């Protein structure tokens, strides 16, 4: 479709509509047209790729920057940018001796990608067709049933290896969008060589026989397969290596401590949910030896006591209530205030209350003191009242 643009100040005569499969680089965008499929605030073309697809594009772009001078630090930075600290990478495929499954952790992932290039590959990228994206609570999953891992080899001759399978990824749903789970299930692979090489060696039977042989097994080079076999031993030893690096222990001591901790986890019973301990009522002891509980029955007992006994209780113990401290104080289950008991050992609270005779015969009282005369009982007062009335 061609035709002039009605936008003022635009000199373009025609433009091309690009497929969403093309990467969002500078050459893929059409010329700038104000007001035509543009973001009003930013002034750019509306994005047509999902965030997970764009992360795969960034991963491919970073792999294209690989050079032979790249060291372990470059591969570790690459893994840190695209993989979580607890990421797991799983590869499943089937060889002549049966199905294989290899799972490696974050520490061994950098060396896996490096082994692909050490096996003779000069380029590596992933092509996703019709991926399905699903949102979960804290991660986003990307499931692509038609994924192709493409590697290009220059030795012994130029060969393009296409590994087809299913790729399942889990991205953390945050700003960094790093991969937590990588699972690539390889189904088949194809090795492609240019026709020009066949035409050049059409008269050489030995060369044609060599060209007919595959340079990979199930799309993986011998360097990568050997490393995955080595990871079967290295992955369980990550705990030993981490302990040796952290505590500077000898390999034998690291093995002993790891085995002892694993034995403790096996022997220890499963953790039970914590039960709330029943609240305990604290009992206060009286100087006379009896105890008074702060439970609900204490109110009924206190009502039946005589005034004298209640007076003895109040004067017997001196209680000082202190304010609860912010830190370091243990106040019990109900956060009770701390009560400090102060006793006067020189004062006897029961003196003069239980023994009335000693109180009445005290020399401190005078002969005419009203405290010496006992109060008349109710019966005596009733008997005296009629005599007094009769005398009147």
């Amino acid at each position: 479709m061609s035709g002039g643009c009605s936008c003022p100040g635009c000199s373009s005569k025609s433009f091309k509509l690009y497929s969403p499969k093309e990467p969002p680089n500078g050459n893929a965008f059409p010329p700038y047209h104000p007001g035509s499929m543009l973001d009003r605030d930013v002034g750019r073309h509306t994005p047509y790729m999902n965030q997970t697809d764009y992360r795969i594009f960034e991963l491919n772009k970073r792999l294209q920057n690989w050079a032979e001078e790249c060291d372990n630090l470059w591969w570790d930075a690459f893994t840190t940018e695209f993989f979580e600290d607890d990421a797991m990478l799983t590869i499943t495929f089937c060889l002549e001796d049966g199905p294989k499954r290899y799972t490696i952790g974050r520490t061994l992932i950098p060396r896996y990608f490096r082994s692909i290039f050490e096996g003779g590959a000069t380029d590596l990228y992933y092509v996703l067709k019709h991926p399905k994206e699903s949102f979960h609570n804290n991660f986003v999953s990307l499931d692509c049933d038609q994924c192709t891992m493409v590697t290009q080899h220059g030795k012994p001759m130029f060969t393009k290896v296409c590994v087809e399978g299913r790729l399942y990824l889990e991205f953390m749903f945050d700003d960094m969008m790093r991969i937590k789970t990588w699972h690539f299930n390889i189904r088949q692979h194809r090795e492609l060589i240019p026709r020009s090489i066949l035409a050049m060696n059409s008269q050489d039977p030995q060369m044609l026989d060599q060209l007919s042989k595959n340079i990979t097994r199930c799309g993986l080079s011998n360097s990568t397969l050997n490393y995955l076999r080595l990871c079967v031993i290295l992955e369980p030893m990550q705990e030993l290596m981490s302990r040796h690096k952290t505590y500077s222990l000898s390999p034998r001591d690291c093995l002993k401590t790891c085995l002892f901790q694993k034995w403790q986890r096996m022997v220890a019973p499963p953790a039970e949910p914590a039960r709330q301990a029943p609240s305990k009522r604290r009992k206060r002891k009286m100087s006379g030896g009896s105890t008074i509980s702060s439970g609900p029955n204490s109110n009924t007992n206190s009502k039946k006591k005589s005034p004298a006994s209640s007076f003895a209780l109040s004067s017997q113990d001196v209680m000082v209530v202190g304010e609860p401290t912010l830190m370091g104080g243990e106040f019990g289950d109900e956060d009770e205030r701390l009560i400090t008991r102060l006793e006067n050992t020189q004062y006897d609270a029961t003196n003069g209350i239980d023994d009335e005779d000693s109180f009445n015969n005290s020399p401190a009282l005078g002969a005419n003191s009203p405290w010496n005369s006992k109060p008349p009982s109710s019966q005596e007062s009733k008997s005296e009242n009629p005599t007094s009335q009769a005398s009147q």
Side-chain angles (χ1 to χ4, degrees):
M1 178 179 178
S2 62
C5 180
S6 60
C7 300
C10 182
S11 60
S12 63
K13 299 298 181 181
S14 63
F15 61 91
K16 178 182 176 182
L17 296 178
Y18 287 80
S19 171
K21 297 180 181 179
E22 297 182 6
N25 51 25
N27 299 328
F29 286 110
Y32 176 74
H33 294 273
S36 174
M37 296 180 63
L38 295 176
D39 194 343
R40 297 180 180 178
D41 298 332
V42 184
R44 61 185 179 186
H45 195 279
T46 53
Y48 44 71
M49 298 185 68
N50 295 331
Q51 186 71 15
T52 54
D53 295 345
Y54 190 75
R55 290 295 290 169
I56 297 299
F57 164 73
E58 289 181 338
L59 186 141
N60 292 334
K61 188 176 180 181
R62 181 57 60 88
L63 290 174
Q64 290 177 1
N65 296 332
W66 171 85
E68 294 183 359
E69 295 79 13
C70 295
D71 53 0
N72 293 332
L73 296 178
W74 189 92
W75 286 109
D76 189 72
F78 162 78
T79 308
T80 303
E81 182 179 357
F82 294 99
F83 289 88
E84 288 286 333
D85 296 338
D86 57 346
M88 300 298 293
L89 186 144
T90 304
I91 299 178
T92 57
F93 51 91
C94 187
L95 294 179
E96 297 82 2
D97 54 347
K100 305 294 181 181
R101 180 187 179 94
Y102 297 98
T103 301
I104 58 178
R106 161 64 180 83
T107 309
L108 303 178
I109 290 177
R111 188 61 185 270
Y112 162 75
F113 286 97
R114 184 176 182 177
S115 67
I116 297 176
F117 289 89
E118 290 178 350
T122 57
D123 194 7
L124 168 64
Y125 58 93
Y126 293 86
V127 179
L128 307 181
K129 294 182 179 180
H130 309 294
K132 297 179 181 179
E133 191 179 55
S134 301
F135 291 87
H136 304 271
N137 292 333
N138 57 347
F139 67 93
V140 183
S141 64
L142 180 68
D143 191 358
C144 182
D145 193 60
Q146 299 179 12
C147 175
T148 304
M149 182 182 72
V150 182
T151 57
Q152 294 183 0
H153 298 256
K155 297 178 181 180
M157 61 199 65
F158 181 82
T159 307
K160 184 176 182 180
V161 181
C162 299
V163 184
E164 300 177 356
R166 177 183 178 182
L167 180 63
Y168 176 78
L169 304 177
E170 289 183 0
F171 295 84
M172 294 303 297
F173 194 51
D174 52 13
D175 297 338
M176 302 184 68
M177 287 287 291
R178 295 193 298 181
I179 301 172
K180 184 177 182 180
T181 302
W182 176 295
H183 190 178
F184 189 36
N185 183 17
I186 300 175
R187 288 193 293 262
Q188 61 180 357
H189 81 288
R190 293 175 291 119
E191 296 186 3
L192 309 177
I193 57 177
R195 289 181 179 269
S196 58
I197 297 180
L198 293 176
M200 292 171 55
N201 302 279
S202 59
Q203 304 299 328
D204 190 353
Q206 295 181 356
M207 192 63 180
L208 289 176
D209 184 54
Q210 185 179 358
L211 292 176
S212 62
K213 295 180 180 179
N214 292 333
I215 62 175
T216 62
R217 298 178 61 189
C218 202
L220 302 177
S221 62
N222 291 330
S223 176
T224 304
L225 289 175
N226 293 334
Y227 177 70
L228 291 176
R229 295 191 188 101
L230 184 62
C231 288
V232 178
I233 303 174
L234 293 178
E235 184 63 29
M237 294 180 62
Q238 292 302 308
E239 186 177 358
L240 298 177
M241 296 178 182
S242 176
R243 190 175 297 274
H244 171 71
K245 185 177 181 180
T246 305
Y247 301 103
S248 300
L249 298 176
S250 63
R252 185 180 296 274
D253 294 338
C254 292
L255 182 60
K256 288 182 180 180
T257 54
C258 291
L259 290 177
F260 179 73
Q261 291 182 358
K262 185 174 292 186
W263 175 79
Q264 281 185 332
R265 290 193 294 265
M266 294 174 60
V267 175
E272 298 181 355
R275 298 179 180 178
Q276 185 176 3
S279 59
K280 297 181 180 180
R281 299 291 183 178
R282 293 186 297 178
K283 297 182 179 181
R284 302 188 184 97
K285 290 186 178 181
M286 297 174 58
S287 61
S290 61
T291 59
I292 299 178
S293 62
S294 60
N297 298 330
S298 60
N299 296 333
T300 57
N301 297 335
S302 61
K303 294 180 181 179
K304 298 179 181 180
K305 293 182 179 180
S306 62
S309 62
S310 63
F311 175 76
L313 175 64
S314 62
S315 62
Q316 186 174 2
D317 297 333
V318 179
M319 299 294 179
V320 178
V321 180
E323 292 293 333
T325 57
L326 295 179
M327 297 181 64
E330 298 180 358
F331 306 121
D333 298 331
E334 299 180 357
D335 294 339
E336 298 178 355
R337 290 186 176 184
L338 185 63
I339 298 178
T340 306
R341 175 175 174 177
L342 303 178
E343 294 185 0
N344 188 358
T345 56
Q346 299 179 359
Y347 171 71
D348 188 3
T350 60
N351 185 18
I353 296 180
D354 296 336
D355 191 3
E356 293 187 3
D357 295 337
S358 59
F359 177 76
N360 294 331
N361 297 329
S362 175
L365 300 177
N368 298 328
S369 175
W371 295 99
N372 290 333
S373 60
K374 296 182 179 181
S377 62
S378 59
Q379 296 180 356
E380 293 178 356
S381 61
K382 290 181 180 179
S383 60
E384 292 177 355
N385 287 334
T387 55
S388 62
Q389 292 177 358
S391 62
Q392 291 178 359

